[in-house]
Amino acid sequence: MKATLTFSLDYLAQVVRDCQRCPLHRSRTNLVFGEGNPEADLMFIGEAPGETEDQTGRPFVGKAGQLLTQILAAVGIQREEVYITNVVKCRPPGNRVPTKTEMDACWDWLAAQIALINPFLIVTLGNTPTQKLLGTTEGITQLRGRFFSWKGNIEVFPMFHPSYLLRNPSKKKGSPKYLTWLDIKAVKERLSLLRSRNRKS
Ligand code: SF4
């Protein structure tokens, strides 16, 4: 079972590798497909690769990625347990927000990743993946910290993007960092509950 899933994600990565569906392929150094456990119960979706990710071909390895790893570790979640990717797989020039056309062009790849991994819970990081998955224009400040049912059998939980936390370092009660601490604890608790309800074979 595991070998088949691994192969399928690996195969998808090969298919996506030379993608030229949108203009972002012209400026990329490396396509950043995603990485992690192909059978993860918990998946993280960010906006787009940044400079370090573009250079390395790996998601969330810059400063924001290091903070994400620390946030996970704070509740005992190892990065290797989860799967991490972005809405678009190629870096937008100057780290701008990807356009709707770019996100729509890349959607099939993300949808296929989600279908293959079939997690219990998806954490969307920041406005872009949250609004894309939930089909809303509401902002992350309103949506974070709430569980949403998505396509019947998966839950979506929006959190602040770690790069936003880097720009807002206060840990005071009510600050984005403080709220993120509450959010990741909620993720951990919800994941335990979902696992106990739906033991994967
Ligand atoms: Fe293809 Fe997505 Fe890269 Fe655009 S961002 S070229 S759709 S992989």
Side-chain angles (χ1 to χ4, degrees):
M1 182 72 167
K2 188 169 183 176
T4 307
L5 282 171
T6 303
F7 173 78
S8 297
L9 259 189
D10 287 347
Y11 180 74
L12 181 65
Q14 294 298 315
V15 171
V16 177
R17 191 177 57 183
D18 298 318
C19 177
Q20 299 185 1
R21 281 188 175 193
C22 86
L24 293 181
H25 80 272
R26 294 196 198 108
S27 53
R28 73 182 175 218
T29 309
N30 288 292
L31 187 146
V32 184
F33 178 73
E35 69 180 26
N37 179 359
E39 292 189 276
D41 296 336
L42 176 60
M43 187 169 177
F44 287 79
I45 303 177
E47 178 177 289
E51 186 178 14
T52 311
E53 290 77 17
D54 176 65
Q55 286 168 358
T56 60
R58 297 182 57 211
F60 282 89
V61 289
K63 282 186 181 161
Q66 289 162 21
L67 179 55
L68 176 62
T69 303
Q70 289 169 14
I71 291 167
L72 294 175
V75 291
I77 300 174
Q78 300 305 309
R79 195 180 150 112
E80 298 72 31
E81 288 176 48
V82 307
Y83 193 88
I84 305 176
T85 190
N86 287 296
V87 173
V88 295
K89 314 303 185 200
C90 304
R91 183 191 181 202
N95 292 347
R96 64 163 170 75
V97 176
T99 65
K100 181 179 183 307
T101 303
E102 291 158 355
M103 288 192 276
D104 288 348
C106 215
W107 173 250
D108 286 348
W109 306 140
L110 179 58
Q113 286 174 305
I114 296 170
L116 286 165
I117 295 163
N118 193 25
F120 294 146
L121 182 56
I122 295 174
V123 172
T124 51
L125 297 167
N127 273 324
T128 301
T130 302
Q131 292 174 346
K132 180 65 180 166
L133 261 73
L134 297 182
T136 179
T137 55
E138 264 195 278
I140 188 67
T141 306
Q142 284 73 45
L143 296 172
R144 61 140 286 279
R146 293 158 57 187
F147 291 95
F148 296 86
S149 178
W150 191 74
K151 297 195 182 287
N153 61 339
I154 297 177
E155 294 190 2
V156 168
F157 185 79
M159 286 176 51
F160 289 120
H161 194 286
S163 62
Y164 180 69
L165 302 179
L166 290 172
R167 296 194 300 273
N168 295 275
S170 168
K171 293 180 182 171
K172 279 197 303 192
K173 195 171 181 181
S175 67
K177 271 199 165 175
Y178 176 86
L179 295 173
T180 295
W181 169 239
L182 299 182
D183 288 350
I184 198 64
K185 284 199 295 185
V187 165
K188 174 81 174 183
E189 285 168 17
R190 189 71 182 167
L191 194 59
S192 297
L193 181 70
L194 293 172
R195 279 175 171 158
S196 66
R197 278 189 195 160
N198 304 280
R199 287 262 168 244
K200 281 191 174 179
S201 55

